[in-house]
Amino acid sequence: MATEPLLKCEHVTVSAGGRKLVEDVSLTLPRGQLVALIGPNGAGKTTLLRAILKLIKYDGRIEINGRIGYVPQRLQYDRTLPMTVLEFMALTLQSRPVAFGVSGRVKARVQELLESVGAARLARAQLGGLSGGELQRVMLASALQEKPELLLLDEPAAGVDIEGEATFTELILHQVREHNTTVVLVSHDLSVVSDITDQVVCLNRTLKCVGSAKDLLTAETIAEVFGGHKAVYGHHHHH
Amino acid sequence: MFDVITNYFTNDWQALILVSVVCVCLTTGVLSPIVVSSRLAFFSDAVAHSTLAGVALGLLLSLDNPITLMVGVAIVVALIIASLRQVTTLGLDTLLGVAMAGSLAAGLLMYHAAEKGYAGLHNYLFGQVALLGPTDMWALVACAVVAVVVGARWGNRFFLLAVSRPLAQARGVPVARYEFLLIVLLGLVVSLSVRAVGLLLVNALLIVPAATSRNLARSVRGMFWGSLGVALFAGLCGLFVGDYLLLPPAPAIVVVAVLLFIVSQALRPLLGHHVAEA
């Protein structure tokens, strides 16, 4: 059914150590939207994502009608591990051990995925040698391999674009427009919200507001979500 | 020297040693990249030390061949460490230090009680290929088969886990199940290899091959085959040259492997590998 919502959260609460990290969040997301999930540090944004990914226990109901892709926040990994980007992508694409080589079919698929994120030349690069922007594209390519209908991007770094390639924003927009994917950009930084954002969701433990960018980005709502730190907004308002 | 080598193919008893050593090296060569990438070096060392408790328990119960007990105790200790890791706030290195010392001390007490002293203990500490029997050999063959099958079937998952646990989790890998599998496998491998190479040296064979190939490899594939090559070369070279020079095989094998590591370390700058920032 095309009309059923892609994601439906009902009264979602996540507790840890007697403290409620996320409380009573109800949220519905349709397909093919660009959504910004914003809130200050420690507002429970990543916790909510982890609940949606079913990685942690939660109370309430989360219903997802589609495949999810996830690009984690600033991935910490062993940069000394000898592994090429091709091998990293192949780990989840083939059952043959990558130590025995990557099959021609998977090589072509990886190349296609990397091209789709403007990182075609990275296939032979070492995973440990990637810059922040390159790593983000590789992680995006890796998340796209399952053809996700809901794509969650935790703190996509701004200003890390590869020279001569489409910007990260353009890639995301392409996903939304061409593949009818709903992309959720999660950030503590209001700069992820722009005129192409369809929906803004403000979270600070509880849901503070949901609506279009134009309606929501008033001084009052910002103050409510960020606890009066209007400077956060002012800082990014010069565009 | 040629005679020394041919004897291993003509003499039944020496052939048994050769097969055992090749199996130990095949097993450790395959698992080494996973152990090193998953940072389980100290973990396997702790498991190795716990095997003495299994041996001693076997002696106390007057069992002829304590293999099953050794494997059992090693796996139990491995699982205790793994589950303690979930509940304690101590660092893994501290936890392993406690487990290693505790199981070794308990093993020594039981050994002393059973044998009224420490006679024969060196066979377990340093390994004694000459004491290997057909049961040991077949156990090592089975161990090599298990290691190769597990590596081939789930190697990709283990490497994804080694890159990042949260990422593997988000990709739907049942992380805890794979960690459990790896721990049980390590307990099995280490405890079976102890009789051949000794509990003080078995860990070297799990660490040095991949440490060496990592120095030169730029890919998982390179690291894997390099590790296997180093392990098998060190195994055969250490066995044959050790025999020729009347040296004990286990330390000779480890010394050859470490020499290869030193060479790889020296070659590394020549290959112009990027220096990864921490």
Side-chain angles (χ1 to χ4, degrees), chain A residues 50 55 70 72 75-84 87-88 90-92 94-101 126-129 139 142-143, chain B residues 36-37 39 151-153 155-157 159-160 162-164 166-167 169-171 213-214 217-225 273-274 276-277:
Chain A
R50 291 174 61 80
L55 296 179
Y70 172 57
L75 186 70
Q76 298 288 324
Y77 64 102
D78 180 4
R79 283 186 175 265
T80 63
L81 184 69
M83 185 182 283
T84 62
E87 286 182 325
F88 168 71
L91 285 177
T92 43
Q94 65 176 29
S95 52
R96 184 211 292 192
V98 295
F100 292 175
Q126 288 236 271
L127 196 63
M139 287 301 153
S142 169
Chain B
V36 171
S37 303
R39 306 196 169 249
R153 181 72 184 79
N156 287 354
R157 295 298 176 88
F159 279 114
L160 185 62
V163 173
S164 162
L167 185 69
Q169 213 175 9
R171 292 278 185 277
S213 64
R214 260 179 90 122
R218 309 194 69 134
S219 61
V220 171
R221 190 182 188 176
M223 172 169 63
F224 174 79
W225 292 105
H273 281 193
H274 78 273
E277 58 270 41

Side-chain angles (χ1 to χ4, degrees), chain B residues 6-150:
Chain B
T6 49
N7 280 346
Y8 279 94
F9 294 93
T10 49
N11 180 327
D12 279 356
W13 167 67
Q14 282 186 289
L16 184 149
I17 291 176
L18 179 67
V19 171
S20 302
V21 166
V22 165
C23 285
V24 167
C25 293
L26 180 66
T27 308
T28 54
V30 166
L31 294 182
S32 182
I34 297 172
V35 171
V36 171
S37 303
S38 313
R39 306 196 169 249
L40 287 170
F42 275 110
F43 184 85
S44 57
D45 207 18
V47 172
H49 281 70
S50 72
T51 54
L52 184 67
V55 172
L57 203 57
L59 290 170
L60 271 179
L61 301 173
S62 323
L63 300 181
D64 289 337
N65 202 330
I67 286 185
T68 334
L69 257 183
M70 281 167 75
V71 174
V73 169
I75 291 176
V76 166
V77 169
L79 291 177
I80 289 175
I81 298 170
S83 45
L84 276 177
R85 196 180 164 187
Q86 312 286 332
V87 295
T88 181
T89 51
L90 294 172
L92 184 62
D93 52 346
T94 309
L95 193 61
L96 291 176
V98 173
M100 191 143 65
S103 56
L104 184 63
L108 285 172
L109 282 180
M110 286 192 282
Y111 192 94
H112 198 278
E115 298 290 279
K116 308 282 176 276
Y118 288 138
L121 184 63
H122 60 274
N123 288 336
Y124 293 100
L125 295 180
F126 311 126
Q128 189 54 274
V129 289
L131 293 183
L132 293 175
T135 322
D136 298 288
M137 186 192 78
W138 287 115
L140 289 170
V141 170
C143 188
V145 171
V146 170
V148 169
V149 168
V150 170

Side-chain angles (χ1 to χ4, degrees), chain A residues 15-212:
Chain A
S15 315
R19 227 161 49 89
K20 284 179 176 156
L21 303 175
V22 168
E23 191 176 0
D24 197 30
V25 169
S26 295
L27 182 65
T28 304
L29 296 182
R31 287 166 198 276
Q33 281 212 337
L34 181 59
V35 180
L37 172 61
I38 56 169
N41 286 320
K45 303 183 296 295
T46 300
T47 306
L48 182 59
L49 285 197
R50 291 174 61 80
I52 292 171
L53 288 162
K54 317 259 172 190
L55 296 179
I56 48 173
K57 285 203 183 98
Y58 57 86
D59 296 314
R61 234 168 67 84
I62 298 178
E63 187 189 316
I64 304 156
N65 298 301
R67 293 176 296 275
I68 312 186
Y70 172 57
V71 178
Q73 181 182 164
R74 282 185 303 278
L75 186 70
Q76 298 288 324
Y77 64 102
D78 180 4
R79 283 186 175 265
T80 63
L81 184 69
M83 185 182 283
T84 62
V85 168
L86 174 67
E87 286 182 325
F88 168 71
M89 302 270 295
L91 285 177
T92 43
L93 281 171
Q94 65 176 29
S95 52
R96 184 211 292 192
V98 295
F100 292 175
V102 177
S103 75
R105 183 185 57 82
V106 171
K107 265 183 200 161
R109 176 87 179 109
V110 168
Q111 200 58 41
E112 181 193 336
L113 283 164
L114 288 174
E115 265 162 33
S116 75
V117 299
R121 62 186 174 79
L122 291 181
R124 305 243 154 250
Q126 288 236 271
L127 196 63
L130 299 181
S131 72
E134 289 169 339
L135 179 64
Q136 191 135 46
R137 280 167 197 253
V138 169
M139 287 301 153
L140 179 61
S142 169
L144 291 178
Q145 71 186 33
E146 304 280 350
K147 297 193 173 67
E149 293 157 273
L150 176 63
L151 183 58
L152 308 171
L153 301 174
D154 200 354
E155 298 282 351
V160 287
D161 291 315
I162 302 178
E163 207 179 327
E165 295 287 358
T167 64
F168 205 68
T169 317
E170 282 164 4
L171 293 175
I172 297 302
L173 203 58
H174 176 81
Q175 273 300 314
V176 176
R177 302 274 153 83
E178 301 297 316
H179 300 281
N180 204 29
T181 307
T182 286
V183 177
V184 180
L185 298 172
V186 180
S187 185
H188 66 282
D189 185 337
L190 283 169
S191 68
V192 301
V193 182
S194 66
D195 48 4
I196 55 166
T197 311
D198 295 302
Q199 205 178 154
V200 180
V201 177
C202 310
L203 182 78
N204 195 353
R205 197 172 54 84
T206 58
L207 210 57
K208 295 296 182 188
C209 51
V210 182
S212 73

Side-chain angles (χ1 to χ4, degrees), chain B residues 162-261:
Chain B
V163 173
S164 162
R165 194 175 191 270
L167 185 69
Q169 213 175 9
R171 292 278 185 277
V173 176
V175 168
R177 211 179 300 164
Y178 280 95
E179 284 170 344
F180 177 82
L181 175 66
L182 190 54
I183 284 163
V184 170
L185 183 65
L186 271 183
L188 179 78
V189 168
V190 166
S191 53
L192 287 179
S193 309
V194 154
R195 277 166 67 89
V197 280
L199 67 87
L200 295 178
L201 293 176
V202 62
N203 208 41
L205 288 184
L206 275 172
I207 307 309
V208 184
T212 306
S213 64
R214 260 179 90 122
N215 265 339
L216 305 177
R218 309 194 69 134
S219 61
V220 171
R221 190 182 188 176
M223 172 169 63
F224 174 79
W225 292 105
S227 166
L228 196 56
V230 167
L232 288 173
F233 178 81
L236 294 176
C237 190
L239 185 63
F240 297 151
V241 174
D243 192 342
Y244 184 69
L245 299 175
L246 303 177
L247 297 170
I253 291 169
V254 174
V255 165
V256 172
V258 172
L259 285 176
L260 289 173
F261 171 78

